[in-house]
């Protein structure tokens, strides 16, 4: 006699089947995620660098980096490892140009919330204004030397002698990182201005580095590429990205509003606005400006100066309406004034009125301190007592 096998409950059997299906789906999903991550690690590595005045840095300056990274990640063609902001030298001499110390400090503040966009102050510490091609080549060479100097597993975070702008994790592989110039459509158009750019520089930038151009909706950057023999020759190295969320807030507009005593709150990062107020930049008139949020943990101090012997700031012009085109050549006549302030590095060792740097890329530093921190040294208390409010 053959005994019949009866299932205890049909519903339990169905639930068990569902759990088995879910387990298989999760296992398959984990395998797929691991495959995607492995595939990403094999993609060519790139980094962005933006050159310009940043007087002051606006949210759109930073949005360009995010828009560009999103594009390459969605296309799945490259892996973005870092972003670099390089303010121009003081001898650029444009109207409305704040001192390099102030501009670097504002960029530092604007990028505090980013874990991949960093300030490079190499350009501002040179003896003179540098061509864009030379700035790109310096940073590319530095990245190449860093990658070739070590192997996988290197700890970038613990090496205090590295430039502060250097993207982290470059030693994860020996694959090269190509540095691309990130810019707006107006810079691309400036290539067509006679005598503004050396053709050799344009060819070197496009051929050996590449352009990532953030364009406005409705513009026609392809026409400028077609009209240029050099750009057409290397058009495969030019990435055009349309910004579908327009933001027309420029540095020149910010300077104009500040000069008129109008509010720029919500047009700038609150920390950047607070810095402008404290330093009285751009003919700032505090009587009509809404106060920015003032974090208790952020210390401002004007007692520190840069260690560059030739550092100097330039007077801010009353004519704030003029646009500051990052591609313009520097003015031949400059008015020099002594540099008197820098955003502080509270742990730096003072020697007279100079600040020591531990390595390249560290000229302007930002430190934070908890408001309830009680165990402070006497020296630090003395510094805090000198803060200009």
């Amino acid at each position: 006699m053959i005994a019949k096998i009866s299932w205890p409950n049909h519903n339990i059997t169905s639930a068990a089947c569902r759990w088995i299906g879910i387990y298989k789906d999760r296992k398959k999903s984990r395998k797929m995620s691991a495959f995607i991550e492995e595939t990403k690690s094999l993609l060519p590595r790139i980094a962005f660098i933006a050159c310009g005045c940043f007087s002051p840095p606006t949210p759109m300056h930073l949005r360009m980096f995010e828009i560009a990274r999103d594009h390459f990640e969605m296309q799945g063609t490259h892996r973005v490892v870092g972003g670099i902001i390089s303010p121009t030298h003081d001898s650029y001499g444009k109207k409305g140009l704040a001192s390099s110390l102030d501009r670097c400090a504002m960029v530092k503040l604007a990028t505090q919330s980013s874990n991949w966009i960093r300030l490079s102050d190499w350009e501002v510490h040179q003896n003179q204004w540098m061509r864009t091609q030379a700035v790109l080549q310096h940073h590319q060479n530095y990245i190449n030397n860093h990658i070739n100097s070590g192997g996988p597993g290197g700890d970038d975070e613990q090496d205090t002698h590295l430039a502060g702008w250097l993207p982290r994790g470059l030693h994860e592989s020996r694959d090269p990182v190509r540095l691309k110039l990130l810019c707006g459509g107006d810079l691309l158009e400036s290539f067509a201005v006679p005598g503004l750019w050396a053709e050799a520089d344009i060819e070197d930038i496009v051929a050996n580095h590449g352009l990532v151009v953030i364009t406005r909706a409705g513009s026609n950057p392809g026409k400028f590429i077609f009209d240029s023999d050099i750009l057409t020759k290397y058009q495969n190295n030019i990435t055009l990205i349309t910004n579908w969320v327009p933001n027309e807030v420029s540095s020149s507009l910010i300077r104009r509003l500040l000069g008129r005593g109008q509010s720029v709150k919500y047009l700038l990062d609150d920390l950047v606005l607070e810095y402008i107020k404290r330093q009285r930049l751009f003919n700032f008139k505090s009587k009509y400006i809404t106060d920015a949020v003032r974090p208790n943990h952020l210390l401002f101090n004007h007692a520190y100066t840069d260690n560059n012997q030739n550092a100097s700031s330039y007077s801010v012009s009353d004519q704030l309406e003029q646009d500051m085109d990052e591609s313009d050549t520097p003015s031949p006549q400059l008015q020099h004034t002594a540099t008197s302030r820098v955003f502080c590095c509270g742990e730096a060792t003072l020697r007279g009125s100079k600040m020591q740097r531990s390595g390249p890329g560290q000229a302007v530093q930002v430190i934070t301190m908890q408001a309830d921190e009680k165990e402070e040294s006497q020296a630090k208390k003395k510094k805090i007592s000198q803060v200009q409010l």
Side-chain angles (χ1 to χ4, degrees), residues 196-229:
L196 188 58
W197 290 81
E199 289 193 1
D201 283 358
I202 296 177
E203 184 165 9
D204 183 81
I205 291 172
V206 182
N208 298 324
H209 300 281
L211 287 176
V212 179
V213 186
I214 309 299
T215 66
R216 298 181 180 90
S219 63
N220 188 17
K223 179 67 165 54
F224 292 97
I225 296 177
F226 175 79
D227 291 339
S228 168
D229 292 338

mmCIF file of all heavy atoms in Angstrom, residues 196-229:
data_model
loop_
_atom_site.group_PDB
_atom_site.id
_atom_site.type_symbol
_atom_site.label_atom_id
_atom_site.label_comp_id
_atom_site.label_asym_id
_atom_site.label_seq_id
_atom_site.Cartn_x
_atom_site.Cartn_y
_atom_site.Cartn_z
ATOM 1 N N LEU A 196 42.850 86.852 -29.365
ATOM 2 C CA LEU A 196 42.599 86.602 -27.942
ATOM 3 C C LEU A 196 43.285 85.327 -27.469
ATOM 4 O O LEU A 196 43.821 85.277 -26.357
ATOM 5 C CB LEU A 196 41.090 86.509 -27.687
ATOM 6 C CG LEU A 196 40.652 86.431 -26.226
ATOM 7 C CD1 LEU A 196 41.149 87.631 -25.440
ATOM 8 C CD2 LEU A 196 39.130 86.331 -26.130
ATOM 9 N N TRP A 197 43.262 84.306 -28.300
ATOM 10 C CA TRP A 197 43.901 83.035 -27.968
ATOM 11 C C TRP A 197 44.964 82.706 -29.014
ATOM 12 O O TRP A 197 44.761 82.928 -30.210
ATOM 13 C CB TRP A 197 42.882 81.888 -27.953
ATOM 14 C CG TRP A 197 41.903 81.919 -26.836
ATOM 15 C CD1 TRP A 197 40.752 82.669 -26.760
ATOM 16 C CD2 TRP A 197 41.953 81.167 -25.628
ATOM 17 N NE1 TRP A 197 40.099 82.426 -25.594
ATOM 18 C CE2 TRP A 197 40.809 81.501 -24.863
ATOM 19 C CE3 TRP A 197 42.850 80.236 -25.113
ATOM 20 C CZ2 TRP A 197 40.542 80.941 -23.624
ATOM 21 C CZ3 TRP A 197 42.586 79.663 -23.871
ATOM 22 C CH2 TRP A 197 41.453 80.018 -23.137
ATOM 23 N N ALA A 198 46.071 82.161 -28.560
ATOM 24 C CA ALA A 198 47.074 81.647 -29.491
ATOM 25 C C ALA A 198 46.565 80.327 -30.061
ATOM 26 O O ALA A 198 46.092 79.457 -29.310
ATOM 27 C CB ALA A 198 48.410 81.440 -28.784
ATOM 28 N N GLU A 199 46.648 80.172 -31.362
ATOM 29 C CA GLU A 199 46.134 78.956 -31.987
ATOM 30 C C GLU A 199 46.846 77.714 -31.456
ATOM 31 O O GLU A 199 46.243 76.648 -31.329
ATOM 32 C CB GLU A 199 46.276 79.045 -33.514
ATOM 33 C CG GLU A 199 45.331 80.028 -34.160
ATOM 34 C CD GLU A 199 45.269 79.855 -35.665
ATOM 35 O OE1 GLU A 199 45.966 78.940 -36.190
ATOM 36 O OE2 GLU A 199 44.536 80.614 -36.320
ATOM 37 N N ALA A 200 48.130 77.852 -31.131
ATOM 38 C CA ALA A 200 48.875 76.714 -30.579
ATOM 39 C C ALA A 200 48.302 76.289 -29.233
ATOM 40 O O ALA A 200 48.235 75.085 -28.931
ATOM 41 C CB ALA A 200 50.350 77.070 -30.430
ATOM 42 N N ASP A 201 47.864 77.261 -28.433
ATOM 43 C CA ASP A 201 47.271 76.940 -27.136
ATOM 44 C C ASP A 201 45.927 76.254 -27.306
ATOM 45 O O ASP A 201 45.613 75.285 -26.601
ATOM 46 C CB ASP A 201 47.101 78.216 -26.301
ATOM 47 C CG ASP A 201 48.409 78.679 -25.686
ATOM 48 O OD1 ASP A 201 49.432 77.984 -25.876
ATOM 49 O OD2 ASP A 201 48.417 79.741 -25.028
ATOM 50 N N ILE A 202 45.116 76.764 -28.227
ATOM 51 C CA ILE A 202 43.807 76.149 -28.469
ATOM 52 C C ILE A 202 43.980 74.700 -28.904
ATOM 53 O O ILE A 202 43.305 73.795 -28.399
ATOM 54 C CB ILE A 202 43.032 76.934 -29.552
ATOM 55 C CG1 ILE A 202 42.730 78.355 -29.075
ATOM 56 C CG2 ILE A 202 41.738 76.205 -29.914
ATOM 57 C CD1 ILE A 202 42.036 79.217 -30.114
ATOM 58 N N GLU A 203 44.910 74.468 -29.827
ATOM 59 C CA GLU A 203 45.120 73.112 -30.326
ATOM 60 C C GLU A 203 45.633 72.185 -29.233
ATOM 61 O O GLU A 203 45.205 71.033 -29.129
ATOM 62 C CB GLU A 203 46.097 73.126 -31.501
ATOM 63 C CG GLU A 203 46.291 71.753 -32.141
ATOM 64 C CD GLU A 203 46.947 71.837 -33.496
ATOM 65 O OE1 GLU A 203 47.410 72.930 -33.881
ATOM 66 O OE2 GLU A 203 46.997 70.797 -34.196
ATOM 67 N N ASP A 204 46.544 72.687 -28.394
ATOM 68 C CA ASP A 204 47.070 71.857 -27.317
ATOM 69 C C ASP A 204 45.985 71.510 -26.315
ATOM 70 O O ASP A 204 45.890 70.363 -25.850
ATOM 71 C CB ASP A 204 48.213 72.583 -26.606
ATOM 72 C CG ASP A 204 48.837 71.733 -25.520
ATOM 73 O OD1 ASP A 204 49.680 70.875 -25.848
ATOM 74 O OD2 ASP A 204 48.474 71.900 -24.337
ATOM 75 N N ILE A 205 45.145 72.477 -25.953
ATOM 76 C CA ILE A 205 44.076 72.237 -24.980
ATOM 77 C C ILE A 205 43.095 71.196 -25.503
ATOM 78 O O ILE A 205 42.738 70.237 -24.809
ATOM 79 C CB ILE A 205 43.349 73.559 -24.647
ATOM 80 C CG1 ILE A 205 44.262 74.492 -23.848
ATOM 81 C CG2 ILE A 205 42.071 73.288 -23.863
ATOM 82 C CD1 ILE A 205 43.679 75.884 -23.650
ATOM 83 N N VAL A 206 42.660 71.384 -26.734
ATOM 84 C CA VAL A 206 41.635 70.490 -27.281
ATOM 85 C C VAL A 206 42.215 69.120 -27.624
ATOM 86 O O VAL A 206 41.588 68.087 -27.381
ATOM 87 C CB VAL A 206 40.985 71.120 -28.531
ATOM 88 C CG1 VAL A 206 39.887 70.205 -29.066
ATOM 89 C CG2 VAL A 206 40.409 72.485 -28.187
ATOM 90 N N ALA A 207 43.416 69.080 -28.170
ATOM 91 C CA ALA A 207 43.999 67.816 -28.616
ATOM 92 C C ALA A 207 44.497 66.973 -27.448
ATOM 93 O O ALA A 207 44.277 65.756 -27.418
ATOM 94 C CB ALA A 207 45.140 68.083 -29.590
ATOM 95 N N ASN A 208 45.169 67.592 -26.475
ATOM 96 C CA ASN A 208 45.828 66.831 -25.413
ATOM 97 C C ASN A 208 45.035 66.752 -24.111
ATOM 98 O O ASN A 208 45.348 65.925 -23.251
ATOM 99 C CB ASN A 208 47.206 67.438 -25.120
ATOM 100 C CG ASN A 208 48.117 67.379 -26.334
ATOM 101 O OD1 ASN A 208 48.073 66.421 -27.101
ATOM 102 N ND2 ASN A 208 48.932 68.407 -26.513
ATOM 103 N N HIS A 209 44.054 67.612 -23.944
ATOM 104 C CA HIS A 209 43.257 67.601 -22.711
ATOM 105 C C HIS A 209 41.781 67.340 -23.002
ATOM 106 O O HIS A 209 41.191 66.401 -22.479
ATOM 107 C CB HIS A 209 43.426 68.922 -21.963
ATOM 108 C CG HIS A 209 44.834 69.208 -21.565
ATOM 109 N ND1 HIS A 209 45.437 68.633 -20.474
ATOM 110 C CD2 HIS A 209 45.775 70.009 -22.139
ATOM 111 C CE1 HIS A 209 46.684 69.064 -20.370
ATOM 112 N NE2 HIS A 209 46.918 69.895 -21.383
ATOM 113 N N GLY A 210 41.198 68.181 -23.814
ATOM 114 C CA GLY A 210 39.776 68.045 -24.125
ATOM 115 C C GLY A 210 38.950 69.109 -23.430
ATOM 116 O O GLY A 210 39.335 69.652 -22.396
ATOM 117 N N LEU A 211 37.804 69.405 -24.028
ATOM 118 C CA LEU A 211 36.892 70.419 -23.495
ATOM 119 C C LEU A 211 35.585 69.766 -23.059
ATOM 120 O O LEU A 211 35.067 68.868 -23.740
ATOM 121 C CB LEU A 211 36.578 71.476 -24.546
ATOM 122 C CG LEU A 211 37.663 72.492 -24.916
ATOM 123 C CD1 LEU A 211 37.154 73.382 -26.048
ATOM 124 C CD2 LEU A 211 38.042 73.329 -23.717
ATOM 125 N N VAL A 212 35.058 70.225 -21.930
ATOM 126 C CA VAL A 212 33.704 69.880 -21.500
ATOM 127 C C VAL A 212 32.955 71.201 -21.401
ATOM 128 O O VAL A 212 33.238 72.019 -20.518
ATOM 129 C CB VAL A 212 33.690 69.144 -20.157
ATOM 130 C CG1 VAL A 212 32.266 68.832 -19.740
ATOM 131 C CG2 VAL A 212 34.510 67.861 -20.250
ATOM 132 N N VAL A 213 32.022 71.424 -22.311
ATOM 133 C CA VAL A 213 31.365 72.725 -22.443
ATOM 134 C C VAL A 213 29.916 72.616 -21.983
ATOM 135 O O VAL A 213 29.140 71.824 -22.528
ATOM 136 C CB VAL A 213 31.409 73.222 -23.902
ATOM 137 C CG1 VAL A 213 30.853 74.634 -24.004
ATOM 138 C CG2 VAL A 213 32.833 73.165 -24.450
ATOM 139 N N ILE A 214 29.566 73.417 -20.965
ATOM 140 C CA ILE A 214 28.184 73.487 -20.485
ATOM 141 C C ILE A 214 27.505 74.616 -21.235
ATOM 142 O O ILE A 214 27.892 75.787 -21.096
ATOM 143 C CB ILE A 214 28.136 73.733 -18.960
ATOM 144 C CG1 ILE A 214 29.029 72.737 -18.228
ATOM 145 C CG2 ILE A 214 26.696 73.645 -18.473
ATOM 146 C CD1 ILE A 214 28.644 71.289 -18.410
ATOM 147 N N THR A 215 26.502 74.301 -22.028
ATOM 148 C CA THR A 215 25.856 75.293 -22.884
ATOM 149 C C THR A 215 24.437 75.579 -22.413
ATOM 150 O O THR A 215 23.822 74.784 -21.703
ATOM 151 C CB THR A 215 25.818 74.814 -24.343
ATOM 152 O OG1 THR A 215 24.953 73.661 -24.433
ATOM 153 C CG2 THR A 215 27.204 74.441 -24.828
ATOM 154 N N ARG A 216 23.931 76.735 -22.818
ATOM 155 C CA ARG A 216 22.561 77.118 -22.513
ATOM 156 C C ARG A 216 21.604 76.472 -23.505
ATOM 157 O O ARG A 216 21.943 76.256 -24.671
ATOM 158 C CB ARG A 216 22.401 78.638 -22.569
ATOM 159 C CG ARG A 216 23.253 79.393 -21.559
ATOM 160 C CD ARG A 216 22.997 80.900 -21.684
ATOM 161 N NE ARG A 216 23.792 81.663 -20.743
ATOM 162 C CZ ARG A 216 25.006 82.129 -21.001
ATOM 163 N NH1 ARG A 216 25.562 81.890 -22.180
ATOM 164 N NH2 ARG A 216 25.667 82.825 -20.099
ATOM 165 N N ALA A 217 20.398 76.201 -23.044
ATOM 166 C CA ALA A 217 19.375 75.676 -23.940
ATOM 167 C C ALA A 217 19.073 76.716 -25.010
ATOM 168 O O ALA A 217 18.922 77.905 -24.734
ATOM 169 C CB ALA A 217 18.101 75.344 -23.144
ATOM 170 N N GLY A 218 19.018 76.276 -26.256
ATOM 171 C CA GLY A 218 18.744 77.182 -27.363
ATOM 172 C C GLY A 218 19.987 77.729 -28.040
ATOM 173 O O GLY A 218 19.883 78.340 -29.111
ATOM 174 N N SER A 219 21.158 77.536 -27.445
ATOM 175 C CA SER A 219 22.395 78.002 -28.070
ATOM 176 C C SER A 219 22.838 76.998 -29.137
ATOM 177 O O SER A 219 22.332 75.879 -29.210
ATOM 178 C CB SER A 219 23.495 78.182 -27.028
ATOM 179 O OG SER A 219 23.814 76.946 -26.413
ATOM 180 N N ASN A 220 23.799 77.409 -29.943
ATOM 181 C CA ASN A 220 24.256 76.550 -31.035
ATOM 182 C C ASN A 220 25.777 76.458 -31.029
ATOM 183 O O ASN A 220 26.445 76.995 -31.923
ATOM 184 C CB ASN A 220 23.742 77.096 -32.369
ATOM 185 C CG ASN A 220 24.028 76.149 -33.524
ATOM 186 O OD1 ASN A 220 24.328 74.967 -33.316
ATOM 187 N ND2 ASN A 220 23.945 76.662 -34.748
ATOM 188 N N PRO A 221 26.360 75.774 -30.037
ATOM 189 C CA PRO A 221 27.826 75.680 -29.968
ATOM 190 C C PRO A 221 28.421 74.896 -31.126
ATOM 191 O O PRO A 221 29.590 75.083 -31.474
ATOM 192 C CB PRO A 221 28.074 74.978 -28.636
ATOM 193 C CG PRO A 221 26.822 74.190 -28.392
ATOM 194 C CD PRO A 221 25.713 75.023 -28.950
ATOM 195 N N GLY A 222 27.615 74.014 -31.726
ATOM 196 C CA GLY A 222 28.118 73.259 -32.855
ATOM 197 C C GLY A 222 28.539 74.145 -34.013
ATOM 198 O O GLY A 222 29.453 73.807 -34.781
ATOM 199 N N LYS A 223 27.888 75.305 -34.125
ATOM 200 C CA LYS A 223 28.228 76.238 -35.193
ATOM 201 C C LYS A 223 29.639 76.802 -35.000
ATOM 202 O O LYS A 223 30.397 76.958 -35.968
ATOM 203 C CB LYS A 223 27.207 77.379 -35.208
ATOM 204 C CG LYS A 223 27.464 78.449 -36.276
ATOM 205 C CD LYS A 223 27.275 77.880 -37.684
ATOM 206 C CE LYS A 223 27.153 78.985 -38.713
ATOM 207 N NZ LYS A 223 28.250 79.964 -38.711
ATOM 208 N N PHE A 224 30.006 77.086 -33.746
ATOM 209 C CA PHE A 224 31.350 77.612 -33.479
ATOM 210 C C PHE A 224 32.409 76.554 -33.752
ATOM 211 O O PHE A 224 33.502 76.873 -34.211
ATOM 212 C CB PHE A 224 31.434 78.097 -32.035
ATOM 213 C CG PHE A 224 30.602 79.313 -31.771
ATOM 214 C CD1 PHE A 224 29.333 79.199 -31.233
ATOM 215 C CD2 PHE A 224 31.082 80.574 -32.075
ATOM 216 C CE1 PHE A 224 28.562 80.314 -30.986
ATOM 217 C CE2 PHE A 224 30.319 81.707 -31.832
ATOM 218 C CZ PHE A 224 29.047 81.577 -31.295
ATOM 219 N N ILE A 225 32.068 75.290 -33.464
ATOM 220 C CA ILE A 225 33.009 74.211 -33.762
ATOM 221 C C ILE A 225 33.183 74.077 -35.274
ATOM 222 O O ILE A 225 34.299 73.935 -35.779
ATOM 223 C CB ILE A 225 32.531 72.886 -33.142
ATOM 224 C CG1 ILE A 225 32.512 73.000 -31.621
ATOM 225 C CG2 ILE A 225 33.407 71.725 -33.589
ATOM 226 C CD1 ILE A 225 31.980 71.757 -30.913
ATOM 227 N N PHE A 226 32.072 74.156 -36.002
ATOM 228 C CA PHE A 226 32.126 74.032 -37.460
ATOM 229 C C PHE A 226 32.937 75.165 -38.081
ATOM 230 O O PHE A 226 33.667 74.964 -39.074
ATOM 231 C CB PHE A 226 30.707 74.032 -38.031
ATOM 232 C CG PHE A 226 30.658 74.019 -39.531
ATOM 233 C CD1 PHE A 226 30.852 72.832 -40.240
ATOM 234 C CD2 PHE A 226 30.438 75.192 -40.247
ATOM 235 C CE1 PHE A 226 30.823 72.823 -41.626
ATOM 236 C CE2 PHE A 226 30.397 75.190 -41.630
ATOM 237 C CZ PHE A 226 30.593 73.995 -42.318
ATOM 238 N N ASP A 227 32.834 76.370 -37.517
ATOM 239 C CA ASP A 227 33.531 77.535 -38.083
ATOM 240 C C ASP A 227 35.022 77.542 -37.778
ATOM 241 O O ASP A 227 35.755 78.382 -38.308
ATOM 242 C CB ASP A 227 32.907 78.828 -37.549
ATOM 243 C CG ASP A 227 31.508 79.061 -38.098
ATOM 244 O OD1 ASP A 227 31.187 78.479 -39.153
ATOM 245 O OD2 ASP A 227 30.738 79.819 -37.466
ATOM 246 N N SER A 228 35.478 76.654 -36.910
ATOM 247 C CA SER A 228 36.899 76.612 -36.551
ATOM 248 C C SER A 228 37.532 75.333 -37.091
ATOM 249 O O SER A 228 37.061 74.226 -36.802
ATOM 250 C CB SER A 228 37.067 76.679 -35.036
ATOM 251 O OG SER A 228 38.394 76.378 -34.657
ATOM 252 N N ASP A 229 38.610 75.486 -37.852
ATOM 253 C CA ASP A 229 39.293 74.309 -38.388
ATOM 254 C C ASP A 229 39.908 73.473 -37.272
ATOM 255 O O ASP A 229 39.878 72.231 -37.310
ATOM 256 C CB ASP A 229 40.385 74.742 -39.374
ATOM 257 C CG ASP A 229 39.812 75.349 -40.649
ATOM 258 O OD1 ASP A 229 38.637 75.051 -40.953
ATOM 259 O OD2 ASP A 229 40.527 76.123 -41.314
#
